[in-house]
């Protein structure tokens, strides 16, 4: 496996940066695609910037994808790029569709044109289950997306299957439930809570405004989930897999655990049902069944929800102390 080439779209994102770490460890030559921005946003890949090749390409521009595939001739392409924040998908539904839905077709067409032997991973999402039709959700559960993001991901999922069946591509779709860690964007609820708990513990903030505290998610640890992405592309046959922990927690549980980790009572700081953080249509409850991935990929999660939240709060405490030049414990 030494010196295989892999291309990652979305390498500046949470998963892209973890996948780049993982593939470098495996000896891959890693090519990371970045879209052009007026200022660089390489925070998550700063530690590996000299070990990977960064190339400009955009999911909105198919020629840029074809060119990069022709130039670097990868064995594997991981399509992690997306407009991935659910609330933004109501504010920018067309942009979300262009990137998160049609972007998948552009990448699949680029592969078909440049080299149909390339193995392809599509980042599908538990948001496709939305208003769930059964509990827990498996690869066979019907979809009922509840946001423009979820709808776009359903399109990306089915176009991946369609290109596999139409053109015999080695195309896999990973239906990943929420996964988090210290590199999670600040707007997602686990990081928002971890970061605020750390700020309040350090006396840098007084309150935390949130939306619906009763929503439940099956939250896992991002480095575990990128391992599953890689495993899917190492199989003899392309297939689709649910990746989840099989355990659910509410946003309220998340708050309690995060604040308890800094010896605080969340009820004194959290303001719930903040109108700006409520969604036009909510996904109340997601719980995944990853039996197929466990059996066929030998995949298992390695970090519990409680461990992950503590780890995230600790990482934010350390970063904030450094930023504000604070010394001593919180
Ligand atoms: P993320 O942190 O939001 O990263 C998204 C990445 O996509 C960023 O690198 C972003 O670049 C890039 N991107 C956005 N628009 C682009 C465009 N037009 N062309 C090229 N790149 C573009 O997301 P993540 O949490 O790592 O998730 C990775 C993938 O898995 C996404 O497809 C997401 O929808 C999906 N997913 C995530 C989860 C989860 O819980 N994390 C669960 C299921 C599925 P910039 O840095 O320039 O913005
Ligand atoms: O919300 C509730 C919110 O934004 C989780 C993306 O990676 O995972 C992610 O999507 C829950 C929702 O993630 C706040 O209403 C309450 O019920 O962290 P989130 P998400 O929408 O589940 C899926 C699998 C993806 O594919 C997506 O790309 O938490 N919630 N109060 C809040 N959420 C946010 N963001 N902020 C709040 O203040």
């Amino acid at each position: 496996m030494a010196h295989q080439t892999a291309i990652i779209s979305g390498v500046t994102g949470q998963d892209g940066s973890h996948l780049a770490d993982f593939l470098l460890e495996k000896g891959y030559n890693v090519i990371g695609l970045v879209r052009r921005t007026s200022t660089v946003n390489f925070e998550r890949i700063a530690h590996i910037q000299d070990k990977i090749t960064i190339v400009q390409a955009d999911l909105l521009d198919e020629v840029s994808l074809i060119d990069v595939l022709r130039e670097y001739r990868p064995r594997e392409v991981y399509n992690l790029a997306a407009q991935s924040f659910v609330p933004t998908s109501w504010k920018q539904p067309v942009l979300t569709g262009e990137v998160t839905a049609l972007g998948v077709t552009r990448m699949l067409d680029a592969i078909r044109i440049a080299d149909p032997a390339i193995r392809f991973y599509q980042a599908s999402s538990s948001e496709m289950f939305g208003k769930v039709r059964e509990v827990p959700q498996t690869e066979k559960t019907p979809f009922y997306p509840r946001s423009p993001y979820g709808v776009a991901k359903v399109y990306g999922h089915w176009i991946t299957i369609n290109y596999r069946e139409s053109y015999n591509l080695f195309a896999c779709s990973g239906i990943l439930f929420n996964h988090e860690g210290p590199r999670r964007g600040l707007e997602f609820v686990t990081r928002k809570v971890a970061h605020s708990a750390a700020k309040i513990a350090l006396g840098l903030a007084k309150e935390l405004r949130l939306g619906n505290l009763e929503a439940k998610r099956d939250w896992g640890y991002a480095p575990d989930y990128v391992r599953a992405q890689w495993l899917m592309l190492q199989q003899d046959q392309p297939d689709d897999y649910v990746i989840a922990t099989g355990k659910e927690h509410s946003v309220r549980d998340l708050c309690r655990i995060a604040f308890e980790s800094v010896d605080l009572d969340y009820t004194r700081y959290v303001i719930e049902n903040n109108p700006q953080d409520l969604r036009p249509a909510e996904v109340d409850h997601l719980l995944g069944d990853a039996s197929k991935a466990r059996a066929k990929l030998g995949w298992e999660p390695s970090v519990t929800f409680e461990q992950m939240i503590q780890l995230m709060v600790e990482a934010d405490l350390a970063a904030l102390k450094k930023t504000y030049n604070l010394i001593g414990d919180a």
Side-chain angles (χ1 to χ4, degrees):
M1 180 62 61
H3 305 306
Q4 294 278 14
T5 295
I7 289 185
I8 304 173
S9 75
V11 75
T12 53
Q14 173 190 254
D15 285 16
S17 64
H18 284 300
L19 182 64
D21 288 341
F22 178 87
L23 294 177
L24 285 173
E25 284 272 312
K26 293 249 169 238
Y28 277 76
N29 175 30
V30 176
I31 315 296
L33 305 189
V34 299
R35 55 179 170 167
R36 193 266 165 184
T37 48
S38 66
T39 44
V40 289
N41 61 341
F42 294 171
E43 293 85 2
R44 295 185 179 102
I45 51 170
H47 62 294
I48 50 171
Q49 221 175 308
D50 57 346
K51 299 194 180 94
I52 66 175
T53 305
I54 294 172
V55 182
Q56 273 191 15
D58 199 303
L59 282 195
L60 299 176
D61 190 320
E62 190 169 326
V63 167
S64 71
L65 304 175
I66 295 170
D67 282 349
V68 76
L69 296 182
R70 283 191 172 143
E71 183 170 353
Y72 292 97
R73 312 198 57 78
R75 175 182 191 263
E76 298 163 15
V77 169
Y78 296 86
N79 185 40
L80 308 186
Q83 190 304 95
S84 77
F85 190 47
V86 172
T88 297
S89 77
W90 277 285
K91 308 261 186 221
Q92 299 178 7
V94 174
L95 185 275
T96 300
E98 283 289 351
V99 180
T100 306
L102 283 176
V104 188
T105 310
R106 291 190 192 95
M107 186 65 96
L108 284 163
D109 267 336
I111 288 174
R112 194 169 62 81
I113 291 164
D115 178 6
I118 290 171
R119 294 181 173 220
F120 175 76
Y121 173 83
Q122 166 57 16
S124 284
S125 166
S126 53
E127 281 294 298
M128 301 188 305
F129 297 124
K131 192 169 178 179
V132 296
R133 306 286 88 190
E134 62 180 358
V135 180
Q137 295 86 54
T138 72
E139 294 79 6
K140 294 193 167 63
T141 303
F143 299 138
Y144 192 142
R146 292 274 280 171
S147 63
Y149 170 81
V151 173
K153 281 290 179 187
V154 172
Y155 174 91
H157 182 76
W158 279 109
I159 201 72
T160 299
I161 294 170
N162 181 263
Y163 271 49
R164 179 167 79 214
E165 294 176 354
S166 303
Y167 302 112
N168 203 25
L169 297 186
F170 193 109
C172 300
S173 178
I175 308 175
L176 272 51
F177 282 61
N178 301 53
H179 46 279
E180 322 288 317
R183 295 186 199 173
R184 190 56 143 148
L186 279 166
E187 70 273 46
F188 297 92
V189 77
T190 53
R191 182 74 196 288
K192 185 173 173 181
V193 171
H195 191 250
S196 288
K199 272 185 120 171
I200 291 170
L202 293 172
L204 298 169
K206 289 191 165 41
E207 62 177 37
L208 165 60
R209 287 177 189 269
L210 291 172
N212 172 17
L213 263 55
E214 309 316 328
K216 290 184 176 158
R217 290 289 185 276
D218 178 330
W219 275 295
Y221 185 49
D224 284 338
Y225 285 47
V226 300
R227 189 171 73 249
Q229 296 169 359
W230 175 78
L231 280 167
M232 287 178 214
L233 297 200
Q234 311 316 309
Q235 305 306 302
D236 292 337
Q237 297 299 327
D239 207 345
D240 310 317
Y241 298 88
V242 161
I243 302 296
T245 68
K247 296 192 172 60
E248 64 181 7
H249 295 273
S250 63
V251 175
R252 192 176 294 285
D253 295 335
L254 158 67
C255 292
R256 182 180 48 74
I257 293 165
F259 279 77
E260 274 178 7
S261 76
V262 282
D263 297 324
L264 295 175
D265 172 2
Y266 81 92
T267 61
R268 296 185 53 208
Y269 305 97
V270 170
I271 296 165
E272 55 188 286
N273 293 318
N274 182 37
Q276 279 81 41
D277 293 307
L278 294 171
R279 299 178 180 190
E282 176 64 292
V283 171
D284 295 314
H285 180 205
L286 289 174
L287 180 64
D289 175 354
S291 301
K292 180 175 168 183
R294 287 173 193 266
K296 294 201 169 171
L297 305 178
W299 179 84
E300 293 282 345
S302 73
V303 174
T304 67
F305 179 69
E306 289 78 4
Q307 287 168 338
M308 178 178 76
I309 298 306
Q310 279 164 17
L311 194 145
M312 290 175 70
V313 175
E314 278 163 23
D316 273 321
L317 276 172
L320 286 164
K321 283 180 188 169
K322 208 170 154 193
T323 305
Y324 290 92
N325 206 14
L326 301 172
I327 303 158
D329 291 332

